[in-house]
Amino acid sequence: MNTADLGLPVEVPSTALFTDQYELTMLQAALKAGTAERRSVFEVFTRRLPNGRRYGVVAGTGRVLDAVTNFRFDARMLAFLGERGIVDEATVKWLADYRFQGDIWGYPEGEVYFPGSPLLRVEGSFAECVLLETVVLSILNHDSAIAAAASRMSSAAGGRPLIEMGARRTHELSAVAAARAAYVGGFATTSDLAAGFRYGIPTVGTSAHAFTLLHDQERDAFRAQVDALGAGTTLLVDTYDVAEAVRTAVEVAGPGLGAVRIDSGDLLLVAHRVRRQLDELGARDTRIVVTSDLDEYAIASLAAAPVDAYGVGTQLVTGSGHPTCSMVYKLVARAESADPSAPLVPVAKKSSGGKTSIGGRKWAARRLDSHGIAEAEVVGTGPVPDELADRQLLAELVKGGEVVAREPLDAARERHIAARANLPLSATQLSRGEPVLPTEYPPPSSGS
Protein backbone atom coordinates (compact mmCIF):
# COMPACT_ATOMS: atom_id res chain seq x y z
CA MET A 1 0.00 0.00 0.00
CA ASN A 2 1.10 3.54 -0.69
CA THR A 3 0.36 5.11 2.67
CA ALA A 4 1.49 8.50 1.43
CA ASP A 5 -2.11 9.18 0.36
CA LEU A 6 -2.99 9.91 3.97
CA GLY A 7 0.44 10.59 5.32
CA LEU A 8 0.59 7.31 7.25
CA PRO A 9 4.15 6.45 8.32
CA VAL A 10 3.95 2.65 8.12
CA GLU A 11 3.36 0.38 5.15
CA VAL A 12 1.30 -2.80 5.46
CA PRO A 13 3.13 -6.05 4.58
CA SER A 14 1.72 -8.57 2.13
CA THR A 15 -1.60 -10.02 3.23
CA ALA A 16 -1.60 -12.88 0.71
CA LEU A 17 -1.12 -15.67 3.24
CA PHE A 18 -3.56 -14.23 5.78
CA THR A 19 -5.98 -16.78 4.43
CA ASP A 20 -7.32 -20.28 4.83
CA GLN A 21 -5.89 -23.04 2.66
CA TYR A 22 -9.23 -23.92 1.12
CA GLU A 23 -9.39 -20.55 -0.64
CA LEU A 24 -6.39 -21.68 -2.72
CA THR A 25 -7.56 -25.24 -3.23
CA MET A 26 -10.93 -23.90 -4.46
CA LEU A 27 -9.00 -21.69 -6.85
CA GLN A 28 -7.00 -24.66 -8.16
CA ALA A 29 -10.14 -26.69 -8.73
CA ALA A 30 -11.95 -23.80 -10.42
CA LEU A 31 -8.99 -23.14 -12.71
CA LYS A 32 -8.98 -26.80 -13.75
CA ALA A 33 -12.75 -26.82 -14.26
CA GLY A 34 -12.75 -23.64 -16.33
CA THR A 35 -15.05 -21.79 -13.92
CA ALA A 36 -12.48 -19.57 -12.21
CA GLU A 37 -13.14 -16.62 -14.51
CA ARG A 38 -16.89 -16.57 -14.10
CA ARG A 39 -18.05 -13.12 -13.00
CA SER A 40 -19.12 -13.35 -9.36
CA VAL A 41 -20.57 -11.28 -6.54
CA PHE A 42 -19.69 -11.96 -2.92
CA GLU A 43 -21.27 -10.15 0.02
CA VAL A 44 -20.31 -9.73 3.67
CA PHE A 45 -23.18 -9.75 6.15
CA THR A 46 -24.19 -11.12 9.52
CA ARG A 47 -27.34 -13.11 10.13
CA ARG A 48 -27.74 -11.74 13.65
CA LEU A 49 -26.21 -9.23 16.03
CA PRO A 50 -24.48 -10.42 19.21
CA ASN A 51 -27.08 -11.34 21.82
CA GLY A 52 -28.72 -8.25 23.26
CA ARG A 53 -27.00 -5.70 21.00
CA ARG A 54 -29.20 -3.07 19.34
CA TYR A 55 -26.93 -2.15 16.40
CA GLY A 56 -23.56 -2.94 14.90
CA VAL A 57 -20.76 -0.60 13.86
CA VAL A 58 -18.78 -0.96 10.64
CA ALA A 59 -15.07 -0.66 11.36
CA GLY A 60 -11.92 -1.83 9.61
CA THR A 61 -12.95 -0.73 6.11
CA GLY A 62 -9.77 1.29 5.69
CA ARG A 63 -7.74 -1.72 6.78
CA VAL A 64 -9.61 -3.91 4.31
CA LEU A 65 -8.62 -1.55 1.51
CA ASP A 66 -5.00 -1.84 2.64
CA ALA A 67 -5.30 -5.63 2.73
CA VAL A 68 -6.75 -5.86 -0.78
CA THR A 69 -4.07 -3.54 -2.14
CA ASN A 70 -1.36 -5.62 -0.52
CA PHE A 71 -2.68 -9.04 -1.48
CA ARG A 72 0.44 -10.05 -3.44
CA PHE A 73 2.34 -13.33 -3.56
CA ASP A 74 6.10 -12.89 -3.50
CA ALA A 75 8.67 -15.49 -4.53
CA ARG A 76 9.08 -16.96 -1.04
CA MET A 77 5.33 -17.35 -0.59
CA LEU A 78 4.98 -19.03 -3.96
CA ALA A 79 7.85 -21.37 -3.15
CA PHE A 80 6.18 -22.29 0.14
CA LEU A 81 2.92 -23.12 -1.62
CA GLY A 82 4.65 -25.20 -4.26
CA GLU A 83 7.08 -27.04 -1.98
CA ARG A 84 4.33 -27.97 0.47
CA GLY A 85 2.13 -29.19 -2.35
CA ILE A 86 -0.67 -26.90 -1.22
CA VAL A 87 -1.50 -26.07 -4.83
CA ASP A 88 -0.19 -27.29 -8.16
CA GLU A 89 2.31 -25.59 -10.44
CA ALA A 90 -0.34 -24.04 -12.68
CA THR A 91 -2.02 -22.42 -9.69
CA VAL A 92 1.30 -21.13 -8.35
CA LYS A 93 1.93 -19.54 -11.72
CA TRP A 94 -1.53 -17.92 -11.68
CA LEU A 95 -0.97 -16.57 -8.16
CA ALA A 96 2.33 -14.97 -9.16
CA ASP A 97 0.44 -12.40 -11.20
CA TYR A 98 -2.49 -11.94 -8.81
CA ARG A 99 -3.85 -8.43 -8.53
CA PHE A 100 -7.45 -7.73 -7.58
CA GLN A 101 -9.00 -6.02 -10.61
CA GLY A 102 -12.62 -6.01 -9.53
CA ASP A 103 -14.99 -3.61 -7.78
CA ILE A 104 -15.87 -3.29 -4.11
CA TRP A 105 -18.83 -1.45 -2.64
CA GLY A 106 -19.55 -1.21 1.06
CA TYR A 107 -21.05 0.60 4.00
CA PRO A 108 -18.70 3.50 4.76
CA GLU A 109 -16.60 3.03 7.87
CA GLY A 110 -18.35 4.25 11.01
CA GLU A 111 -21.83 3.51 9.65
CA VAL A 112 -24.18 1.34 11.72
CA TYR A 113 -25.58 -1.95 10.44
CA PHE A 114 -28.18 -4.61 11.19
CA PRO A 115 -28.78 -8.31 10.44
CA GLY A 116 -28.68 -8.88 6.70
CA SER A 117 -27.02 -5.57 5.86
CA PRO A 118 -24.71 -6.13 2.83
CA LEU A 119 -21.71 -4.53 4.52
CA LEU A 120 -19.32 -5.26 1.68
CA ARG A 121 -19.99 -6.33 -1.92
CA VAL A 122 -17.00 -7.73 -3.80
CA GLU A 123 -17.36 -8.18 -7.58
CA GLY A 124 -14.97 -9.69 -10.11
CA SER A 125 -13.98 -13.13 -11.29
CA PHE A 126 -14.59 -15.99 -8.88
CA ALA A 127 -10.85 -16.56 -8.69
CA GLU A 128 -9.89 -13.04 -7.66
CA CYS A 129 -12.79 -12.59 -5.22
CA VAL A 130 -12.69 -15.91 -3.38
CA LEU A 131 -9.08 -15.38 -2.26
CA LEU A 132 -10.05 -12.32 -0.22
CA GLU A 133 -12.61 -14.03 2.01
CA THR A 134 -10.53 -14.83 5.06
CA VAL A 135 -8.56 -11.62 5.38
CA VAL A 136 -11.67 -9.48 4.81
CA LEU A 137 -13.61 -11.34 7.50
CA SER A 138 -10.66 -11.34 9.87
CA ILE A 139 -10.47 -7.55 9.76
CA LEU A 140 -14.17 -6.72 9.74
CA ASN A 141 -15.15 -9.21 12.44
CA HIS A 142 -12.47 -7.99 14.82
CA ASP A 143 -12.63 -4.25 14.21
CA SER A 144 -16.43 -4.05 14.10
CA ALA A 145 -16.68 -5.94 17.40
CA ILE A 146 -14.33 -3.48 19.08
CA ALA A 147 -16.07 -0.47 17.53
CA ALA A 148 -19.47 -1.70 18.70
CA ALA A 149 -18.21 -2.03 22.27
CA ALA A 150 -16.57 1.38 22.02
CA SER A 151 -19.78 2.93 20.74
CA ARG A 152 -21.77 1.56 23.67
CA MET A 153 -19.14 2.81 26.08
CA SER A 154 -18.95 6.27 24.55
CA SER A 155 -22.73 6.52 24.62
CA ALA A 156 -22.76 5.51 28.29
CA ALA A 157 -20.05 8.09 29.00
CA GLY A 158 -22.40 10.87 27.96
CA GLY A 159 -19.78 13.11 26.36
CA ARG A 160 -16.99 12.46 28.86
CA PRO A 161 -13.79 11.41 27.06
CA LEU A 162 -12.66 7.80 26.94
CA ILE A 163 -9.07 6.56 26.87
CA GLU A 164 -8.25 3.28 25.10
CA MET A 165 -5.67 1.42 27.17
CA GLY A 166 -5.99 -2.26 26.29
CA ALA A 167 -2.68 -2.97 24.56
CA ARG A 168 -1.44 -5.20 27.36
CA ARG A 169 -4.60 -7.31 27.21
CA THR A 170 -4.39 -8.53 23.61
CA HIS A 171 -1.97 -9.47 20.83
CA GLU A 172 0.44 -6.65 20.10
CA LEU A 173 -0.80 -6.18 16.52
CA SER A 174 -4.45 -6.59 17.50
CA ALA A 175 -3.89 -3.80 20.00
CA VAL A 176 -3.14 -1.34 17.21
CA ALA A 177 -6.24 -2.38 15.27
CA ALA A 178 -8.31 -2.22 18.47
CA ALA A 179 -7.18 1.32 19.20
CA ARG A 180 -8.12 2.33 15.67
CA ALA A 181 -11.56 0.72 15.94
CA ALA A 182 -12.14 2.26 19.36
CA TYR A 183 -11.41 5.70 17.94
CA VAL A 184 -14.00 5.10 15.21
CA GLY A 185 -16.46 4.06 17.93
CA GLY A 186 -16.03 7.24 19.93
CA PHE A 187 -12.91 6.95 22.09
CA ALA A 188 -10.84 10.14 22.27
CA THR A 189 -7.31 8.88 22.87
CA THR A 190 -5.14 5.77 23.17
CA SER A 191 -2.21 4.77 25.33
CA ASP A 192 -0.76 2.70 22.48
CA LEU A 193 2.05 4.56 20.74
CA ALA A 194 2.02 2.28 17.69
CA ALA A 195 -1.61 3.27 17.07
CA GLY A 196 -0.71 6.92 17.46
CA PHE A 197 2.24 6.56 15.11
CA ARG A 198 0.37 4.65 12.43
CA TYR A 199 -3.05 6.30 12.51
CA GLY A 200 -2.50 9.68 14.12
CA ILE A 201 -4.75 8.90 17.09
CA PRO A 202 -4.02 11.25 20.04
CA THR A 203 -1.96 9.45 22.70
CA VAL A 204 -1.89 9.91 26.47
CA GLY A 205 -0.13 8.43 29.48
CA THR A 206 1.77 9.45 32.59
CA SER A 207 2.67 6.88 35.27
CA ALA A 208 1.77 3.58 36.90
CA HIS A 209 1.96 2.37 40.48
CA ALA A 210 5.50 1.12 39.83
CA PHE A 211 6.69 4.72 39.56
CA THR A 212 5.29 5.56 42.99
CA LEU A 213 6.71 2.37 44.51
CA LEU A 214 10.13 3.19 43.04
CA HIS A 215 10.46 6.21 45.32
CA ASP A 216 11.00 6.29 49.08
CA GLN A 217 7.98 8.53 49.61
CA GLU A 218 4.86 9.15 47.55
CA ARG A 219 5.67 12.85 47.70
CA ASP A 220 9.02 12.14 46.03
CA ALA A 221 7.30 10.34 43.18
CA PHE A 222 4.81 13.16 42.67
CA ARG A 223 7.57 15.76 42.75
CA ALA A 224 9.62 13.85 40.18
CA GLN A 225 6.64 13.54 37.85
CA VAL A 226 5.62 17.18 38.16
CA ASP A 227 9.21 18.33 37.65
CA ALA A 228 9.42 16.25 34.48
CA LEU A 229 5.93 16.68 33.03
CA GLY A 230 4.60 19.87 34.57
CA ALA A 231 1.74 20.64 36.94
CA GLY A 232 -0.78 19.73 34.25
CA THR A 233 0.11 16.04 34.54
CA THR A 234 -2.13 13.30 35.95
CA LEU A 235 -1.05 11.87 39.30
CA LEU A 236 -2.05 8.35 40.34
CA VAL A 237 -3.47 8.63 43.85
CA ASP A 238 -4.52 5.13 44.97
CA THR A 239 -1.18 3.42 45.64
CA TYR A 240 -1.51 3.88 49.40
CA ASP A 241 -4.07 6.14 51.06
CA VAL A 242 -6.19 8.10 48.57
CA ALA A 243 -7.03 11.07 50.79
CA GLU A 244 -3.41 11.54 51.82
CA ALA A 245 -2.26 11.18 48.20
CA VAL A 246 -4.71 13.83 46.99
CA ARG A 247 -3.53 16.24 49.67
CA THR A 248 0.10 15.59 48.78
CA ALA A 249 -0.60 15.90 45.06
CA VAL A 250 -2.09 19.38 45.43
CA GLU A 251 0.71 20.46 47.77
CA VAL A 252 3.30 19.37 45.21
CA ALA A 253 1.63 20.51 41.98
CA GLY A 254 -0.46 23.36 43.32
CA PRO A 255 -4.13 24.04 42.53
CA GLY A 256 -3.28 23.87 38.83
CA LEU A 257 -2.79 20.10 39.01
CA GLY A 258 -4.14 18.65 35.76
CA ALA A 259 -5.80 15.47 36.99
CA VAL A 260 -5.74 12.62 39.46
CA ARG A 261 -6.33 9.00 38.49
CA ILE A 262 -8.18 6.44 40.59
CA ASP A 263 -7.58 2.79 39.68
CA SER A 264 -9.21 0.79 42.48
CA GLY A 265 -11.89 0.70 45.14
CA ASP A 266 -15.51 1.78 45.04
CA LEU A 267 -15.09 4.26 42.20
CA LEU A 268 -18.46 5.95 42.76
CA LEU A 269 -17.79 6.62 46.43
CA VAL A 270 -14.11 7.46 46.02
CA ALA A 271 -14.77 9.87 43.14
CA HIS A 272 -17.22 11.87 45.23
CA ARG A 273 -14.78 12.01 48.15
CA VAL A 274 -11.88 13.04 45.92
CA ARG A 275 -13.91 15.74 44.19
CA ARG A 276 -14.94 17.22 47.52
CA GLN A 277 -11.37 17.13 48.77
CA LEU A 278 -9.94 18.71 45.62
CA ASP A 279 -12.49 21.54 45.80
CA GLU A 280 -11.68 22.15 49.46
CA LEU A 281 -7.98 22.33 48.58
CA GLY A 282 -8.67 24.93 45.88
CA ALA A 283 -8.01 22.53 42.98
CA ARG A 284 -11.45 23.03 41.47
CA ASP A 285 -10.26 22.55 37.89
CA THR A 286 -8.33 19.36 38.59
CA ARG A 287 -9.99 16.53 36.69
CA ILE A 288 -10.71 13.02 37.93
CA VAL A 289 -9.86 10.06 35.69
CA VAL A 290 -11.05 6.57 36.65
CA THR A 291 -9.78 3.22 35.40
CA SER A 292 -10.07 -0.38 36.75
CA ASP A 293 -11.70 -3.00 34.50
CA LEU A 294 -14.46 -0.73 33.25
CA ASP A 295 -17.12 -1.72 30.73
CA GLU A 296 -20.20 0.11 29.45
CA TYR A 297 -22.25 -0.91 32.48
CA ALA A 298 -19.66 0.33 34.96
CA ILE A 299 -19.35 3.57 33.00
CA ALA A 300 -23.12 4.04 33.06
CA SER A 301 -23.16 3.43 36.81
CA LEU A 302 -20.75 6.34 37.22
CA ALA A 303 -22.92 8.80 35.31
CA ALA A 304 -23.79 10.70 38.49
CA ALA A 305 -20.21 10.64 39.80
CA PRO A 306 -17.89 13.65 39.42
CA VAL A 307 -15.74 11.79 36.89
CA ASP A 308 -14.15 13.64 33.97
CA ALA A 309 -12.71 10.76 31.91
CA TYR A 310 -12.60 6.99 31.78
CA GLY A 311 -9.78 4.62 30.87
CA VAL A 312 -10.86 1.25 29.44
CA GLY A 313 -8.73 -1.77 28.60
CA THR A 314 -9.69 -5.44 28.81
CA GLN A 315 -13.42 -5.14 28.16
CA LEU A 316 -12.85 -2.91 25.15
CA VAL A 317 -10.28 -5.02 23.31
CA THR A 318 -12.35 -8.17 23.86
CA GLY A 319 -15.51 -6.57 22.47
CA SER A 320 -17.09 -6.39 25.94
CA GLY A 321 -18.04 -10.04 25.83
CA HIS A 322 -18.55 -10.26 22.06
CA PRO A 323 -15.11 -10.44 20.37
CA THR A 324 -16.53 -11.20 16.92
CA CYS A 325 -19.56 -10.17 14.85
CA SER A 326 -20.18 -13.54 13.13
CA MET A 327 -19.88 -11.92 9.71
CA VAL A 328 -19.77 -14.21 6.69
CA TYR A 329 -18.60 -13.80 3.07
CA LYS A 330 -20.97 -15.52 0.70
CA LEU A 331 -21.32 -15.93 -3.05
CA VAL A 332 -24.72 -14.42 -3.92
CA ALA A 333 -24.56 -14.22 -7.72
CA ARG A 334 -22.42 -15.58 -10.53
CA ALA A 335 -22.41 -15.74 -14.31
CA GLU A 336 -23.33 -18.90 -16.16
CA SER A 337 -20.07 -18.81 -18.13
CA ALA A 338 -16.76 -16.98 -18.37
CA ASP A 339 -18.17 -14.76 -21.10
CA PRO A 340 -17.96 -11.17 -19.75
CA SER A 341 -21.45 -10.50 -21.14
CA ALA A 342 -23.03 -13.53 -19.48
CA PRO A 343 -25.85 -12.44 -17.14
CA LEU A 344 -25.58 -12.91 -13.40
CA VAL A 345 -27.84 -15.46 -11.75
CA PRO A 346 -28.64 -15.38 -8.01
CA VAL A 347 -27.24 -18.22 -5.89
CA ALA A 348 -27.74 -18.99 -2.22
CA LYS A 349 -26.97 -21.65 0.33
CA LYS A 350 -30.00 -23.59 1.57
CA SER A 351 -29.55 -25.44 4.82
CA SER A 352 -31.09 -25.96 8.23
CA GLY A 353 -29.88 -24.39 11.44
CA GLY A 354 -30.33 -20.74 10.49
CA LYS A 355 -27.51 -20.68 7.95
CA THR A 356 -29.57 -19.91 4.87
CA SER A 357 -28.76 -16.83 2.82
CA ILE A 358 -30.53 -14.71 0.22
CA GLY A 359 -29.24 -14.75 -3.33
CA GLY A 360 -28.81 -11.79 -5.64
CA ARG A 361 -26.68 -8.65 -5.88
CA LYS A 362 -28.08 -6.37 -3.21
CA TRP A 363 -28.55 -2.71 -2.45
CA ALA A 364 -29.36 -1.28 0.98
CA ALA A 365 -31.10 1.86 2.14
CA ARG A 366 -32.26 3.26 5.46
CA ARG A 367 -35.83 4.48 5.58
CA LEU A 368 -36.61 7.45 7.83
CA ASP A 369 -39.80 8.32 9.65
CA SER A 370 -41.58 11.68 9.49
CA HIS A 371 -39.17 13.06 12.11
CA GLY A 372 -36.06 12.10 10.15
CA ILE A 373 -35.20 9.19 12.45
CA ALA A 374 -34.27 5.81 10.99
CA GLU A 375 -37.11 3.28 11.13
CA ALA A 376 -35.96 0.39 8.92
CA GLU A 377 -33.00 -1.13 7.08
CA VAL A 378 -34.26 -2.02 3.63
CA VAL A 379 -32.25 -4.60 1.65
CA GLY A 380 -33.24 -5.63 -1.86
CA THR A 381 -32.25 -6.75 -5.33
CA GLY A 382 -33.22 -5.22 -8.63
CA PRO A 383 -34.27 -1.57 -8.99
CA VAL A 384 -34.09 0.68 -5.94
CA PRO A 385 -37.49 2.20 -5.07
CA ASP A 386 -37.65 5.88 -5.94
CA GLU A 387 -38.41 6.90 -2.36
CA LEU A 388 -35.16 5.25 -1.18
CA ALA A 389 -32.89 6.40 -4.01
CA ASP A 390 -31.26 9.13 -1.90
CA ARG A 391 -30.99 6.93 1.21
CA GLN A 392 -28.70 4.24 -0.20
CA LEU A 393 -25.92 3.05 2.08
CA LEU A 394 -23.33 1.35 -0.10
CA ALA A 395 -20.49 3.51 -1.38
CA GLU A 396 -17.95 2.67 -4.07
CA LEU A 397 -14.64 1.72 -2.45
CA VAL A 398 -12.64 0.03 -5.21
CA LYS A 399 -13.14 0.41 -8.97
CA GLY A 400 -11.27 -1.76 -11.43
CA GLY A 401 -8.83 -2.74 -8.72
CA GLU A 402 -8.04 0.85 -7.71
CA VAL A 403 -9.03 2.19 -4.31
CA VAL A 404 -11.26 5.25 -4.77
CA ALA A 405 -12.45 5.92 -1.22
CA ARG A 406 -9.55 6.48 1.14
CA GLU A 407 -10.39 8.92 3.89
CA PRO A 408 -8.94 10.21 7.17
CA LEU A 409 -9.87 8.22 10.26
CA ASP A 410 -11.63 11.25 11.71
CA ALA A 411 -14.15 11.07 8.86
CA ALA A 412 -15.20 7.57 9.97
CA ARG A 413 -15.39 8.71 13.59
CA GLU A 414 -17.61 11.66 12.71
CA ARG A 415 -19.77 9.47 10.48
CA HIS A 416 -20.40 7.10 13.36
CA ILE A 417 -21.45 9.88 15.69
CA ALA A 418 -23.94 11.11 13.09
CA ALA A 419 -25.24 7.60 12.27
CA ARG A 420 -25.80 6.72 15.91
CA ALA A 421 -27.58 10.01 16.52
CA ASN A 422 -29.96 9.17 13.68
CA LEU A 423 -31.16 5.97 15.37
CA PRO A 424 -34.15 5.72 17.73
CA LEU A 425 -33.30 6.64 21.32
CA SER A 426 -33.65 3.03 22.42
CA ALA A 427 -30.48 2.22 20.45
CA THR A 428 -28.35 3.54 23.30
CA GLN A 429 -30.08 1.55 26.04
CA LEU A 430 -27.73 -0.94 27.65
CA SER A 431 -30.53 -3.32 28.58
CA ARG A 432 -30.77 -6.36 26.34
CA GLY A 433 -33.10 -6.11 23.38
CA GLU A 434 -33.65 -6.77 19.72
CA PRO A 435 -31.97 -4.76 16.92
CA VAL A 436 -33.34 -1.24 17.05
CA LEU A 437 -34.24 -1.35 13.33
CA PRO A 438 -35.96 -4.20 11.51
CA THR A 439 -34.45 -5.44 8.25
CA GLU A 440 -36.99 -5.48 5.42
CA TYR A 441 -36.69 -7.36 2.13
CA PRO A 442 -39.07 -5.93 -0.48
CA PRO A 443 -39.79 -8.03 -3.57
CA PRO A 444 -37.39 -7.34 -6.49
CA SER A 445 -40.09 -5.60 -8.50
CA SER A 446 -40.74 -3.01 -5.78
CA GLY A 447 -40.32 0.48 -7.15
CA SER A 448 -39.64 -0.71 -10.68
Side-chain angles (χ1 to χ4, degrees):
M1 166 194 167
N2 180 10
T3 54
D5 292 351
L6 294 179
L8 301 179
V10 178
E11 291 192 355
V12 177
S14 171
T15 52
L17 293 186
F18 293 170
T19 191
D20 291 306
Q21 180 167 317
Y22 79 170
E23 314 292 5
L24 302 190
T25 53
M26 281 193 287
L27 168 66
Q28 176 177 314
L31 288 170
K32 190 170 184 178
T35 53
E37 296 305 316
R38 287 188 176 186
R39 191 159 54 100
S40 300
V41 180
F42 287 81
E43 288 175 354
V44 174
F45 62 94
T46 184
R47 297 183 177 93
R48 63 192 65 83
L49 297 180
N51 187 33
R53 294 286 171 90
R54 304 296 181 91
Y55 62 92
V57 181
V58 179
T61 308
R63 297 208 308 123
V64 166
L65 298 180
D66 293 345
V68 171
T69 302
N70 285 275
F71 206 95
R72 305 281 189 272
F73 292 87
D74 63 27
R76 290 193 304 168
M77 294 175 181
L78 295 170
F80 164 77
L81 296 174
E83 291 166 3
R84 293 287 184 94
I86 294 170
V87 291
D88 62 19
E89 184 177 346
T91 305
V92 169
K93 184 177 180 180
W94 188 94
L95 291 171
D97 297 323
Y98 178 84
R99 301 290 186 275
F100 180 75
Q101 299 296 321
D103 303 327
I104 299 177
W105 290 70
Y107 279 38
E109 190 159 17
E111 184 58 83
V112 296
Y113 71 89
F114 299 91
S117 297
L119 305 179
L120 205 71
R121 192 175 71 216
V122 183
E123 304 183 24
S125 70
F126 175 84
E128 63 183 334
C129 295
V130 74
L131 295 183
L132 300 178
E133 175 181 4
T134 302
V135 70
V136 165
L137 290 178
S138 175
I139 293 170
L140 292 181
N141 269 312
H142 174 270
D143 289 23
S144 296
I146 305 304
S151 179
R152 285 163 60 86
M153 293 174 187
S154 65
S155 178
R160 296 170 178 174
L162 291 156
I163 307 163
E164 185 283 312
M165 47 195 305
R168 62 191 61 194
R169 301 297 189 222
T170 189
H171 185 280
E172 64 272 18
L173 298 182
S174 297
V176 182
R180 183 187 184 281
Y183 190 70
V184 170
F187 274 57
T189 54
T190 179
S191 67
D192 190 87
L193 290 178
F197 179 67
R198 173 159 179 73
Y199 296 116
I201 302 170
T203 59
V204 295
T206 50
S207 67
H209 292 103
F211 187 75
T212 300
L213 296 170
L214 170 68
H215 294 80
D216 296 335
Q217 301 291 332
E218 192 169 44
R219 179 181 297 272
D220 297 335
F222 289 172
R223 170 55 62 194
Q225 185 173 326
V226 170
D227 286 348
L229 303 178
T233 191
T234 299
L235 296 176
L236 182 58
V237 295
D238 72 328
T239 305
Y240 305 117
D241 180 82
V242 173
E244 181 61 30
V246 170
R247 184 179 304 107
T248 302
V250 176
E251 288 176 358
V252 170
L257 172 63
V260 295
R261 178 163 74 94
I262 306 166
D263 188 50
S264 59
D266 183 335
L267 297 178
L268 179 62
L269 176 63
V270 175
H272 277 287
R273 288 178 175 173
V274 169
R275 181 73 271 160
R276 187 181 313 114
Q277 185 180 9
L278 287 170
D279 291 348
E280 291 172 351
L281 294 170
R284 296 183 177 276
D285 294 328
T286 298
R287 295 171 296 112
I288 297 175
V289 180
V290 296
T291 54
S292 185
D293 291 327
L294 299 178
D295 61 9
E296 59 265 48
Y297 301 101
I299 291 169
S301 73
L302 293 168
V307 172
D308 298 286
Y310 306 92
V312 189
T314 303
Q315 291 301 317
L316 175 67
V317 299
T318 56
S320 194
H322 297 289
T324 183
C325 301
S326 299
M327 293 177 186
V328 294
Y329 183 100
K330 296 297 181 183
L331 181 67
V332 297
R334 51 84 174 167
E336 294 180 329
S337 71
D339 185 340
S341 63
L344 290 171
V345 294
V347 295
K349 175 181 178 180
K350 289 181 172 59
S351 65
S352 59
K355 282 195 171 186
T356 58
S357 55
I358 299 173
R361 182 179 185 270
K362 299 175 193 69
W363 51 263
R366 192 160 296 146
R367 191 174 68 240
L368 307 182
D369 64 16
S370 58
H371 301 287
I373 300 299
E375 66 175 7
E377 193 90 339
V378 186
V379 177
T381 59
V384 181
D386 293 341
E387 65 272 18
L388 295 175
D390 63 348
R391 298 297 308 166
Q392 294 188 70
L393 293 164
L394 277 78
E396 191 171 34
L397 305 175
V398 177
K399 183 175 183 179
E402 296 296 325
V403 174
V404 296
R406 293 205 188 280
E407 62 180 6
L409 194 57
D410 279 329
R413 175 184 170 85
E414 292 165 7
R415 182 180 296 113
H416 177 62
I417 293 170
R420 188 176 65 189
N422 199 45
L423 295 176
L425 286 175
S426 57
T428 58
Q429 293 178 351
L430 295 182
S431 56
R432 292 186 179 277
E434 296 301 312
V436 72
L437 296 187
T439 304
E440 299 179 357
Y441 298 94
S445 60
S446 176
S448 60

